[in-house]
Amino acid sequence: MIIPVYNAGDYLRPAIESILQQTFQDFELIIVDDCSRDESLAVARSYQTDPRVRVLANERNRGRSFADNYGAEYARGKYIAKMDADDIALPHRLQAQVDFLEQNPTVGLTSSFLQCFGESDIVYEYPLSADAVRSFLLFNMPVANPTAFFRRSLLQEHGLRYDDTIQDTFGEDYEFIARLAQVTDIVNQPDILLHYRTLPQTLKADVHARRNAKSNQIRERQLGVFGIPFCARELHVHNTISYFPFVLGDITLAEVHAWLWKIHTFNQTRRYADPAAMLRCVAERWFLTCYLNPDRRTNGWVEYHRQPLARHYQPRRMVQAKFLIKNYFMRFFK
């Protein structure tokens, strides 16, 4: 288990305790402090009396990717588990993930659903099958990084490392998973194995912009792996509908459907992912785009159902009702 730490002193102790109290006890806990300015390092070192705990300390702040790689260099176990320094692992997390990879030798990495706490109580869900993960990877991160659990042999056999030139959190895990998915299957577990702490939103606009820019680069690279030809406008459409809240700007719903349908038809020949999985992935994104973009000029409800992708995704009835109401309200009362 590797926990990178930077200024997480207020939350680190319960995070560490949640690992030490796992039902699966045959593990090493490597804590990498990235030159924290609070008491994080002292908190981590207070657990070194436990022989399973090892604390590493960077002399200067090097970023999340460097800390991940540094910890992996000292790892000796068969598997590597990831967790953030402010989250809480459920007691059976490690046992569930060890059992899963032991029972599925062709799977190289797994993760799980996350239950948020703090500022939010939503549950983050992720695509499950290997083909669903590969399909979703074209658009966004298909893995819950705080519960990522993978075979250490993948690092050794394929020379995989986190890109430590990426300083902003998020981009480094998406980029790493995109490369790892080219050499092994990734399958997620439909269980909540971690409580994910959500804090008040203080992300500065420039940091958010840098993260999106890096994610856009990763998506463009992944489209190249997929092999689909695209123009600058199609890439703009793709990036726009890849992250919440899918603000279309001057992009029309017709353009969105045309691009998603192009992905579907190209995959039928390319077989990058199982066609049924890819079709469901792009059909869901078609629904989300229409749902999140009510417009006075365009009847989104009608446009959604007019296009063939609508036949391949069935949202829950309550969500369909909200979609209809939002569309009606926007068109007639704004």
Side-chain angles (χ1 to χ4, degrees):
M1 168 66 71
I2 299 174
I3 301 181
V5 181
Y6 181 66
N7 293 343
D10 291 342
Y11 311 113
L12 183 56
R13 194 172 297 278
I16 294 173
E17 294 285 349
S18 76
I19 298 302
L20 298 181
Q21 296 169 10
Q22 289 287 300
T23 57
F24 181 86
Q25 286 286 300
D26 184 16
F27 64 83
E28 56 184 355
L29 173 56
I30 300 172
I31 304 169
V32 184
D33 182 77
D34 196 20
C35 201
S36 295
R37 293 171 294 177
D38 64 0
E39 70 277 12
S40 294
L41 183 57
V43 171
R45 284 176 170 165
S46 72
Y47 286 91
Q48 287 189 119
T49 54
D50 189 315
R52 297 169 298 177
V53 178
R54 180 166 194 164
V55 179
L56 306 174
N58 293 336
E59 294 183 356
R60 61 185 177 88
N61 183 256
R62 304 292 295 272
R64 175 66 178 263
S65 296
F66 182 91
D68 284 329
N69 291 331
Y70 190 23
E73 289 174 4
Y74 283 86
R76 296 295 177 264
K78 183 178 180 180
Y79 302 113
I80 290 179
K82 298 286 299 301
M83 195 173 90
D84 293 341
D86 57 354
D87 296 333
I88 308 294
L90 296 189
H92 62 293
R93 178 205 161 170
L94 292 182
Q95 186 69 67
Q97 295 188 299
V98 168
D99 289 347
F100 185 80
L101 289 193
E102 288 291 313
Q103 295 163 12
N104 295 276
T106 63
V107 176
L109 181 146
T110 187
S111 75
S112 73
F113 292 176
L114 308 177
Q115 172 68 65
C116 292
F117 72 103
E119 290 294 302
S120 172
D121 62 356
I122 66 173
V123 174
Y124 285 128
E125 299 183 357
Y126 294 84
L128 298 179
S129 72
D131 284 294
V133 167
R134 284 174 62 80
S135 300
F136 194 88
L137 186 61
L138 294 177
F139 298 95
N140 217 316
M141 174 67 165
V143 165
N145 195 55
T147 60
F149 188 94
F150 57 91
R151 302 180 191 277
R152 187 166 67 91
S153 60
L154 292 169
L155 305 184
Q156 302 163 319
E157 295 170 4
H158 300 282
L160 291 170
R161 290 171 55 86
Y162 286 87
D163 182 353
D164 54 20
T165 65
I166 302 174
Q167 297 294 313
D168 293 330
T169 300
F170 178 82
E172 91 287 346
D173 53 7
Y174 186 17
E175 194 276 339
F176 175 77
I177 292 298
R179 284 186 287 120
L180 186 141
Q182 296 180 43
V183 299
T184 190
D185 283 344
I186 299 173
V187 177
N188 291 316
Q189 296 171 263
D191 305 305
I192 295 171
L193 297 180
L194 181 133
H195 288 165
Y196 180 74
R197 189 183 301 274
T198 53
L199 302 172
Q201 182 58 263
T202 58
L203 189 65
K204 294 181 180 179
D206 63 327
V207 175
H208 186 69
R210 290 201 306 272
R211 291 185 184 178
N212 282 342
K214 186 61 185 180
S215 299
N216 288 347
Q217 292 175 11
I218 298 167
R219 278 187 279 270
E220 182 174 4
R221 187 186 311 165
Q222 199 60 29
L223 289 175
V225 173
F226 181 31
I228 189 171
F230 56 87
C231 64
R233 180 66 175 183
E234 289 172 321
L235 180 61
H236 174 55
V237 171
H238 185 81
N239 286 328
T240 300
I241 62 172
S242 289
Y243 57 88
F244 185 84
F246 298 26
V247 179
L248 293 182
D250 67 341
I251 299 171
T252 66
L253 289 177
E255 285 182 285
V256 172
H257 189 275
W259 171 244
L260 292 173
W261 191 255
K262 180 177 177 178
I263 291 175
H264 158 60
T265 55
F266 184 82
N267 182 67
Q268 287 184 308
T269 302
R270 171 71 167 80
R271 297 283 169 161
Y272 163 87
D274 173 71
M278 180 66 80
L279 180 57
R280 189 188 188 284
C281 177
V282 296
E284 181 180 17
R285 197 146 297 264
W286 169 237
F287 171 78
L288 291 172
T289 303
C290 294
Y291 176 78
L292 292 169
N293 286 277
D295 192 291
R296 299 180 70 176
R297 297 163 299 173
T298 304
N299 189 324
W301 174 266
V302 171
E303 181 65 12
Y304 169 70
H305 287 282
R306 188 177 70 83
Q307 299 288 1
L309 281 178
R311 297 195 292 271
H312 301 282
Y313 177 70
Q314 186 63 39
R316 295 190 300 271
R317 288 185 178 180
M318 182 178 295
V319 178
Q320 291 188 62
K322 288 174 65 177
F323 181 23
L324 181 60
I325 293 169
K326 281 175 60 177
N327 185 73
Y328 182 82
F329 181 82
M330 175 62 73
R331 286 177 58 74
F332 296 103
F333 293 97
K334 278 207 171 188

